[in-house]
């Protein structure tokens, strides 16, 4: 091969390499653009999932004072102060998925589960206090979105607050019982909870006794079980197949389930599995209603990041002390002074 032919061959090879590199570059650029577009859509979609209620504006200043936050010497980009969050599981029948899981029509909803989550300063310890929905309380006057307000109700069932005045009245009623400021509000519906469990791959639980409840369609022998979302929801809602059929037995199962879910989340390597992380985030946000302080993906992520040091074994679960109501053996009232002392310990 002559020198001229060698130069021509080298030129053709260089041309092919240049075209190949250009193709790789264009492919990478296209992938980056597509990835950015998908990431942008995912963020928009998750943000769009979240519904919110402006509780602070609705309730104004007639509320317990916020906890005082002492600035730390080493400023942290994440919040570290104590926090109280009212977490409700609602039995809303809105939407086909919720109706299939809960039955009934779409006219209204109640707070099927109510928990006050208190995060200690530093956010490495937490106390979760369940409030029985059958507790008789004085329900305060609550503002209504349509204008006006509800009347004060004496000896009303606790979960009626949500039914008559939604999240705003639920928060106001809890604050009147506890004398604690609810810094945030989180509500998850039936389908949101079930989808979260499924996105995590199910949850492992150990039931302390046989459960045989035709109403929740849950039939489990005592012992370990791996539950999918529908079964976990049934476990959280069952009451007729355990104990005396009251709300108190169900609360014990709910608290067990909360701890098991925390263990499941901590053991699932979500950050190394983007697809599963997205499924979990989509499941959480699609069934979520928050106050306006947590109504964006960035705020929820900031809250989650501030809890990185919180382990499941440092979460204490208790129930507000109650006794049978003298007026109705199917209802309970706060046991004093034990209930008052419990709430005071969280200030």
């Amino acid at each position: 091969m002559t020198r001229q032919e060698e130069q021509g061959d080298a030129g053709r090879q260089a041309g092919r390499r240049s075209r190949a590199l250009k193709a790789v570059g264009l492919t990478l650029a296209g992938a980056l653009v597509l990835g950015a577009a998908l990431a942008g859509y995912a963020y928009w979609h998750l943000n769009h999932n979240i519904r919110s209620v402006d509780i602070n504006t609705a309730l104004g200043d007639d509320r317990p004072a916020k906890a005082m936050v002492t600035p730390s010497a080493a400023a942290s980009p994440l919040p570290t102060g104590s926090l109280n969050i009212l977490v409700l599981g609602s039995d809303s029948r809105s939407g086909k998925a919720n109706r299939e899981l809960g039955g009934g029509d779409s006219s209204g909803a109640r707070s099927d589960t109510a928990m006050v989550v208190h995060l200690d300063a530093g956010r490495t310890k937490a106390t979760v206090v369940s409030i029985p929905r059958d507790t008789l309380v004085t329900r305060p006057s609550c503002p209504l979105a349509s204008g006006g307000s509800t009347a004060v109700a004496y000896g009303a069932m606790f979960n009626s607050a949500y039914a008559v005045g939604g999240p705003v009245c639920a928060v106001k009623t809890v604050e009147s019982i506890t004398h604690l400021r609810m810094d945030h509000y989180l509500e998850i519906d039936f389908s949101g909870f079930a989808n979260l469990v499924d996105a995590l791959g199910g949850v492992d639980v150990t039931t302390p006794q046989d459960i045989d409840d035709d109403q929740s369609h849950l039939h489990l022998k005592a012992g370990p079980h791996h539950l999918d979302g529908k079964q976990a929801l049934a476990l959280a809602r069952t009451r007729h197949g355990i104990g005396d059929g009251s709300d108190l037995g169900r609360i014990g199962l709910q608290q067990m389930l909360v701890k098991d879910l925390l263990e499941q989340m901590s053991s699932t390597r979500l950050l190394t599995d983007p697809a599963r992380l997205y499924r979990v985030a989509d499941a959480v946000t699609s069934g979520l209603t928050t106050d306006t302080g947590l109504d964006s993906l960035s705020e929820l992520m900031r809250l989650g990041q501030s809890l990185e040091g919180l382990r499941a074994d440092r979460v204490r679960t208790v129930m507000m002390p109650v006794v049978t109501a003298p007026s109705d053996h199917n209802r309970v009232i706060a046991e004093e002074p034990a209930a008052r002392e419990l709430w005071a310990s969280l200030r």
Side-chain angles (χ1 to χ4, degrees):
M1 181 182 294
T2 66
R3 182 176 181 82
Q4 187 175 5
E5 289 173 333
E6 288 176 351
Q7 288 176 340
D9 187 52
R12 285 190 293 275
Q13 290 178 5
R16 286 195 293 271
R17 284 197 300 271
S18 176
R19 288 192 294 274
L21 287 172
K22 186 180 291 185
V24 170
L26 289 172
T27 301
L28 288 174
L32 287 172
V33 169
L34 179 60
L38 289 173
Y41 170 77
Y43 189 90
W44 175 88
H45 175 72
L46 295 175
N47 245 356
H48 191 69
N49 277 346
I50 304 167
R51 297 178 295 275
S52 66
V53 179
D54 191 353
I55 291 172
N56 287 336
T57 298
L59 294 183
D61 296 327
D62 186 21
R63 305 176 65 186
K66 291 184 178 180
M68 296 295 292
V69 178
T70 304
S72 59
S76 170
L78 295 171
T80 58
S82 63
L83 207 63
N84 296 314
I85 306 173
L86 175 59
V87 178
L88 293 187
S90 76
D91 67 352
S92 169
R93 269 66 169 180
S94 62
K96 181 180 177 182
N98 281 325
R99 288 196 297 274
E100 288 178 348
L101 289 168
D105 56 35
S106 59
S107 58
R110 296 164 299 177
S111 53
D112 206 50
T113 302
M115 297 179 177
V116 173
V117 178
H118 173 78
L119 301 170
D120 289 1
R123 307 197 181 177
T124 59
K125 292 192 297 183
T127 301
V128 179
V129 185
S130 295
I131 302 177
R133 70 177 193 172
D134 295 338
T135 306
L136 298 182
V137 301
T138 296
R139 192 181 68 222
S141 174
C142 300
L144 295 172
S146 58
S149 59
T150 65
V152 176
Y154 300 95
M157 275 182 58
F158 168 74
N159 72 337
S160 69
Y162 184 98
V164 302
V168 171
C169 199
V171 168
K172 188 165 185 179
T173 301
V174 169
E175 291 185 342
S176 72
I177 295 170
T178 65
H179 301 291
L180 293 171
R181 172 78 167 234
M182 294 298 110
D183 301 293
H184 289 299
Y185 171 83
L186 290 172
E187 174 192 331
I188 190 164
D189 61 21
F190 285 176
S191 62
F193 179 82
N195 290 339
L196 169 62
V197 174
D198 284 336
L200 288 169
V203 60
D204 294 317
V205 303
T206 299
T207 54
Q209 63 186 83
D210 292 351
I211 298 174
D212 191 19
D213 188 351
D214 289 333
Q215 292 197 28
S216 65
H217 308 291
L218 186 67
H219 304 279
L220 297 174
K221 292 293 185 182
H225 300 277
H226 184 78
L227 306 182
D228 63 18
K230 188 174 182 179
Q231 293 170 316
L233 176 64
L235 180 66
R237 302 192 66 223
T238 190
R239 62 187 292 178
H240 299 289
I242 55 169
D244 60 0
S246 73
D247 196 39
L248 307 187
R250 173 169 61 177
I251 283 175
L253 290 177
Q254 289 173 347
Q255 292 178 338
M256 175 193 74
L257 187 56
V258 165
K259 286 210 163 188
D260 290 337
L261 277 172
L262 288 173
E263 290 282 3
Q264 183 77 10
M265 285 189 223
S266 64
S267 64
T268 303
R269 298 183 180 276
L270 294 177
L271 294 180
T272 61
D273 189 346
R276 175 174 282 190
L277 176 61
Y278 178 79
R279 289 196 299 273
V280 170
D282 191 33
V284 170
T285 56
S286 63
L288 194 66
T289 301
T290 73
D291 65 282
T292 49
L294 286 179
D295 64 352
S296 70
L297 190 59
S298 59
E299 289 296 336
L300 287 172
M301 288 174 61
R302 184 173 164 82
L303 173 62
Q305 289 167 345
S306 77
L307 303 178
E308 282 186 338
L310 179 64
R311 302 193 309 269
D313 61 0
R314 303 198 75 181
V315 176
R316 179 173 67 116
T317 55
V318 297
M319 183 178 70
M320 182 181 79
V322 294
V323 294
T324 302
S327 60
D328 187 343
H329 72 276
N330 291 316
R331 303 287 179 258
V332 295
I333 58 173
E335 180 184 8
E336 301 297 359
R340 187 165 55 248
E341 291 168 353
L342 170 63
W343 299 123
S345 71
L346 303 181
R347 293 194 188 107

